[in-house]
Each structure stands twice: as structure tokens, then as C-alpha cells.
Amino acid sequence: MPVPKDEFDQLLPCDFSTPEELLEPNEMYTVYEIARLMQGLEPDAAIEEATEAVLLDWAIPWVVHHGDDLVIADPRSDDEPGYYGVKTTE
């Protein structure tokens, strides 16, 4: 159900980091690691499963929006997620 804007104390601009600002150019990341980085956490930070689900709500659209600036790699095994990294000219 939509919520009126005046019910919030503060409205912030929807301004996210670019892939170049968030990710190291020679590294590949899972969407879970990207979600943590977007919150200023280390990629391997331990967080609760419910928190991780909320962070993924931000990270998945970010990956889709920045798809032209990213490369992807298939999982290394069936029990791993895929990987994303900054597209470079190398």
C-alpha cells in the first residue's frame, strides 16, 4: 500500500555509487557482496538473513541499472551465485 511522503521525517535523493566507485576493477563480486558494499560494509561482513534480504532489494535493481557497465561470470559451482565486475577496456 502506498504511503504519503509526509509520513517520513526525511526524504533523501536516490543517489547510488557507480560500479567504478563501488567495485575494484580487477575483482568479481556476488550480488550479496555488492549489497554489503552499497551499505559501506565489507563484502564478507556477517549480517542477519533478514537484513541481507532487505539489502538485496537495493542491490538487484542497481545491478540491472548498471548492466551496461558490468561484466558477469557464471558460478564456479552449482551451489554458488554468479559474479559481477566492472567492465574494463583490458
Side-chain angles (χ1 to χ4, degrees):
M1 175 63 85
V3 177
K5 287 182 180 177
D6 62 5
E7 287 192 18
F8 298 92
D9 293 334
Q10 183 179 14
L11 298 174
L12 304 169
C14 190
D15 186 23
F16 295 106
S17 301
T18 65
E20 294 80 11
E21 294 168 333
L22 192 65
L23 308 176
E24 293 296 324
N26 294 319
E27 300 289 332
M28 297 292 284
Y29 302 85
T30 68
V31 71
Y32 304 100
E33 293 166 336
I34 291 170
R36 288 171 175 79
L37 289 169
M38 290 177 71
Q39 296 301 311
L41 301 171
E42 291 297 319
D44 60 352
I47 58 175
E48 294 181 13
E49 191 173 318
T51 301
E52 185 168 68
V54 171
L55 298 184
L56 287 176
D57 286 346
W58 292 92
I60 292 169
W62 183 90
V63 167
V64 172
H65 177 77
H66 290 290
D68 290 343
D69 300 319
L70 298 170
V71 294
I72 62 173
D74 288 332
R76 296 178 294 178
S77 66
D78 290 341
D79 61 344
E80 271 192 355
Y83 287 83
Y84 304 86
V86 177
K87 184 185 291 184
T88 60
T89 57
E90 297 174 9

